[in-house]
Amino acid sequence: MAILAGKAVVITGAGQGLGRAFAAHAAAAGAAVVVNDVYEPLAKQVADLISLMGGKAVVSAGSVTDPDQAEAMVDTCTAAFGRIDGLVNNAGIRYQAELGHDDPARMRELIEVNVLGTLFCTNAAVRSMRGGSIVNLGSVAMVGQPTALTYSASKGAVASITAGAAAELHDKGIRVNAVCPVAWTNMAASDTKATPCGPPETIAPLVTYLLSDRAAKVTGQLVRFAHGKLHVMGQTSPLEPVLEREAWDVDDIAEAFEEQLEQEDPAWVRWGVRR
């Protein structure tokens, strides 16, 4: 039996790039798919392709920044397929801009799509899900990428959403994970530091796995998948050593940075703490 047989999933931003690959792969694995995209003709092309492949797909076009559209996607899924078992929060945008020259309107738009879109769609989906899986699109840019700070901030938020939702929804049987992929898409092409990499189809098996029951024990994880390498990323945690004193003054703190911490863990030097 196909790994997603009998399941119904919503995939946002599925008109092209990673979303298109996720939708096609999930459908090939047996899922019925709601194809969302802000551009309806692109969403229809993907739904038609899935139908030609013998799969099931319907379109729910509109922006994830509209909470009513988020509700409509879920309603479309339950009306067409009788249930919703999965959500892939793939819709996202990015751009490069130096600090001091960024456009507030573009900043606001990016945060609304990448952060509020993820929140709106998750908020709508969990009301109808009876167990299942949510997959968010993260990025290692969450640690801070020069000339893409708005995008980095949005992906830091997605990491927080993933961890918090996974903990909150555990008792409802809903798993929440994020993938941090590298694939050559229009979005990747907008990254001036990006290097050629594999097509979106190389990432799709990971998303299908996380949507499936075979990943029943996997939740709250940030999964890096790039250049043929797969690994789980830890949530932010203190670097060792952790130093403790009853009281700290400026000299004590300076000594910790300049001597003890730098000598014990070179990571402090890598993150910009130098003598």
mmCIF file of all heavy atoms in Angstrom, residues 225-243:
data_model
loop_
_atom_site.group_PDB
_atom_site.id
_atom_site.type_symbol
_atom_site.label_atom_id
_atom_site.label_comp_id
_atom_site.label_asym_id
_atom_site.label_seq_id
_atom_site.Cartn_x
_atom_site.Cartn_y
_atom_site.Cartn_z
ATOM 1 N N PHE A 225 18.217 18.981 5.264
ATOM 2 C CA PHE A 225 18.326 18.059 4.130
ATOM 3 C C PHE A 225 18.949 18.832 2.981
ATOM 4 O O PHE A 225 18.299 19.672 2.366
ATOM 5 C CB PHE A 225 16.940 17.544 3.756
ATOM 6 C CG PHE A 225 16.935 16.269 2.954
ATOM 7 C CD1 PHE A 225 17.907 15.307 3.115
ATOM 8 C CD2 PHE A 225 15.926 16.037 2.042
ATOM 9 C CE1 PHE A 225 17.886 14.121 2.392
ATOM 10 C CE2 PHE A 225 15.880 14.851 1.304
ATOM 11 C CZ PHE A 225 16.871 13.903 1.485
ATOM 12 N N ALA A 226 20.243 18.563 2.716
ATOM 13 C CA ALA A 226 20.946 19.360 1.720
ATOM 14 C C ALA A 226 22.126 18.591 1.160
ATOM 15 O O ALA A 226 22.860 17.936 1.905
ATOM 16 C CB ALA A 226 21.440 20.664 2.342
ATOM 17 N N HIS A 227 22.274 18.662 -0.149
ATOM 18 C CA HIS A 227 23.434 18.079 -0.822
ATOM 19 C C HIS A 227 23.625 16.607 -0.463
ATOM 20 O O HIS A 227 24.751 16.138 -0.252
ATOM 21 C CB HIS A 227 24.700 18.870 -0.478
ATOM 22 C CG HIS A 227 24.576 20.347 -0.715
ATOM 23 N ND1 HIS A 227 24.374 20.892 -1.971
ATOM 24 C CD2 HIS A 227 24.595 21.399 0.156
ATOM 25 C CE1 HIS A 227 24.289 22.209 -1.860
ATOM 26 N NE2 HIS A 227 24.406 22.541 -0.587
ATOM 27 N N GLY A 228 22.509 15.882 -0.356
ATOM 28 C CA GLY A 228 22.578 14.460 -0.046
ATOM 29 C C GLY A 228 22.832 14.153 1.413
ATOM 30 O O GLY A 228 22.993 12.984 1.778
ATOM 31 N N LYS A 229 22.846 15.166 2.279
ATOM 32 C CA LYS A 229 23.104 14.969 3.708
ATOM 33 C C LYS A 229 21.832 15.237 4.498
ATOM 34 O O LYS A 229 21.180 16.256 4.314
ATOM 35 C CB LYS A 229 24.223 15.888 4.187
ATOM 36 C CG LYS A 229 25.560 15.627 3.503
ATOM 37 C CD LYS A 229 26.619 16.590 3.986
ATOM 38 C CE LYS A 229 27.944 16.323 3.295
ATOM 39 N NZ LYS A 229 29.009 17.279 3.745
ATOM 40 N N LEU A 230 21.518 14.324 5.413
ATOM 41 C CA LEU A 230 20.317 14.409 6.241
ATOM 42 C C LEU A 230 20.720 14.386 7.702
ATOM 43 O O LEU A 230 21.438 13.485 8.143
ATOM 44 C CB LEU A 230 19.404 13.209 5.936
ATOM 45 C CG LEU A 230 18.185 12.992 6.828
ATOM 46 C CD1 LEU A 230 17.164 14.101 6.632
ATOM 47 C CD2 LEU A 230 17.552 11.637 6.531
ATOM 48 N N HIS A 231 20.295 15.388 8.456
ATOM 49 C CA HIS A 231 20.566 15.356 9.889
ATOM 50 C C HIS A 231 19.565 16.227 10.626
ATOM 51 O O HIS A 231 18.965 17.147 10.051
ATOM 52 C CB HIS A 231 21.999 15.791 10.220
ATOM 53 C CG HIS A 231 22.323 17.209 9.857
ATOM 54 N ND1 HIS A 231 22.205 18.249 10.736
ATOM 55 C CD2 HIS A 231 22.770 17.745 8.706
ATOM 56 C CE1 HIS A 231 22.568 19.380 10.147
ATOM 57 N NE2 HIS A 231 22.907 19.107 8.914
ATOM 58 N N VAL A 232 19.387 15.926 11.907
ATOM 59 C CA VAL A 232 18.492 16.691 12.769
ATOM 60 C C VAL A 232 19.298 17.802 13.424
ATOM 61 O O VAL A 232 20.411 17.584 13.921
ATOM 62 C CB VAL A 232 17.844 15.787 13.830
ATOM 63 C CG1 VAL A 232 17.058 16.619 14.833
ATOM 64 C CG2 VAL A 232 16.931 14.761 13.160
ATOM 65 N N MET A 233 18.734 19.002 13.422
ATOM 66 C CA MET A 233 19.387 20.150 14.042
ATOM 67 C C MET A 233 18.849 20.345 15.447
ATOM 68 O O MET A 233 17.640 20.261 15.663
ATOM 69 C CB MET A 233 19.125 21.415 13.206
ATOM 70 C CG MET A 233 19.616 21.331 11.778
ATOM 71 S SD MET A 233 19.042 22.716 10.777
ATOM 72 C CE MET A 233 19.746 24.103 11.666
ATOM 73 N N GLY A 234 19.726 20.620 16.406
ATOM 74 C CA GLY A 234 19.285 20.862 17.768
ATOM 75 C C GLY A 234 18.654 22.232 17.906
ATOM 76 O O GLY A 234 19.005 23.171 17.182
ATOM 77 N N GLN A 235 17.700 22.337 18.823
ATOM 78 C CA GLN A 235 17.179 23.655 19.160
ATOM 79 C C GLN A 235 18.285 24.439 19.867
ATOM 80 O O GLN A 235 19.256 23.883 20.371
ATOM 81 C CB GLN A 235 15.962 23.514 20.080
ATOM 82 C CG GLN A 235 14.779 22.824 19.436
ATOM 83 C CD GLN A 235 14.038 23.730 18.444
ATOM 84 O OE1 GLN A 235 14.329 24.900 18.338
ATOM 85 N NE2 GLN A 235 13.092 23.152 17.726
ATOM 86 N N THR A 236 18.148 25.747 19.885
ATOM 87 C CA THR A 236 19.177 26.584 20.488
ATOM 88 C C THR A 236 19.424 26.175 21.932
ATOM 89 O O THR A 236 18.505 26.003 22.723
ATOM 90 C CB THR A 236 18.741 28.058 20.446
ATOM 91 O OG1 THR A 236 18.524 28.420 19.083
ATOM 92 C CG2 THR A 236 19.803 28.952 21.033
ATOM 93 N N SER A 237 20.702 25.994 22.277
ATOM 94 C CA SER A 237 21.062 25.592 23.641
ATOM 95 C C SER A 237 22.408 26.222 23.992
ATOM 96 O O SER A 237 23.178 26.602 23.102
ATOM 97 C CB SER A 237 21.153 24.058 23.749
ATOM 98 O OG SER A 237 22.099 23.556 22.831
ATOM 99 N N PRO A 238 22.713 26.338 25.282
ATOM 100 C CA PRO A 238 23.966 26.975 25.683
ATOM 101 C C PRO A 238 25.180 26.175 25.236
ATOM 102 O O PRO A 238 25.151 24.934 25.207
ATOM 103 C CB PRO A 238 23.878 27.000 27.216
ATOM 104 C CG PRO A 238 22.438 26.821 27.530
ATOM 105 C CD PRO A 238 21.880 25.977 26.440
ATOM 106 N N LEU A 239 26.231 26.869 24.855
ATOM 107 C CA LEU A 239 27.508 26.212 24.597
ATOM 108 C C LEU A 239 28.221 25.985 25.926
ATOM 109 O O LEU A 239 28.153 26.803 26.835
ATOM 110 C CB LEU A 239 28.376 27.094 23.689
ATOM 111 C CG LEU A 239 27.897 27.320 22.251
ATOM 112 C CD1 LEU A 239 28.762 28.377 21.577
ATOM 113 C CD2 LEU A 239 27.921 26.026 21.469
ATOM 114 N N GLU A 240 28.910 24.869 26.033
ATOM 115 C CA GLU A 240 29.707 24.615 27.234
ATOM 116 C C GLU A 240 31.040 25.354 27.117
ATOM 117 O O GLU A 240 31.551 25.550 26.026
ATOM 118 C CB GLU A 240 29.945 23.102 27.369
ATOM 119 C CG GLU A 240 28.684 22.290 27.604
ATOM 120 C CD GLU A 240 28.040 22.585 28.948
ATOM 121 O OE1 GLU A 240 28.761 23.089 29.853
ATOM 122 O OE2 GLU A 240 26.852 22.322 29.095
ATOM 123 N N PRO A 241 31.644 25.754 28.227
ATOM 124 C CA PRO A 241 31.147 25.585 29.588
ATOM 125 C C PRO A 241 30.159 26.686 29.988
ATOM 126 O O PRO A 241 30.197 27.785 29.466
ATOM 127 C CB PRO A 241 32.421 25.708 30.416
ATOM 128 C CG PRO A 241 33.253 26.687 29.640
ATOM 129 C CD PRO A 241 32.976 26.393 28.186
ATOM 130 N N VAL A 242 29.278 26.362 30.944
ATOM 131 C CA VAL A 242 28.389 27.347 31.546
ATOM 132 C C VAL A 242 29.020 27.751 32.878
ATOM 133 O O VAL A 242 29.202 26.913 33.764
ATOM 134 C CB VAL A 242 26.977 26.765 31.773
ATOM 135 C CG1 VAL A 242 26.094 27.790 32.469
ATOM 136 C CG2 VAL A 242 26.361 26.339 30.442
ATOM 137 N N LEU A 243 29.384 28.995 32.991
ATOM 138 C CA LEU A 243 30.097 29.469 34.180
ATOM 139 C C LEU A 243 29.115 30.063 35.190
ATOM 140 O O LEU A 243 28.135 30.691 34.809
ATOM 141 C CB LEU A 243 31.127 30.532 33.784
ATOM 142 C CG LEU A 243 32.129 30.106 32.696
ATOM 143 C CD1 LEU A 243 33.099 31.244 32.411
ATOM 144 C CD2 LEU A 243 32.881 28.848 33.112
#
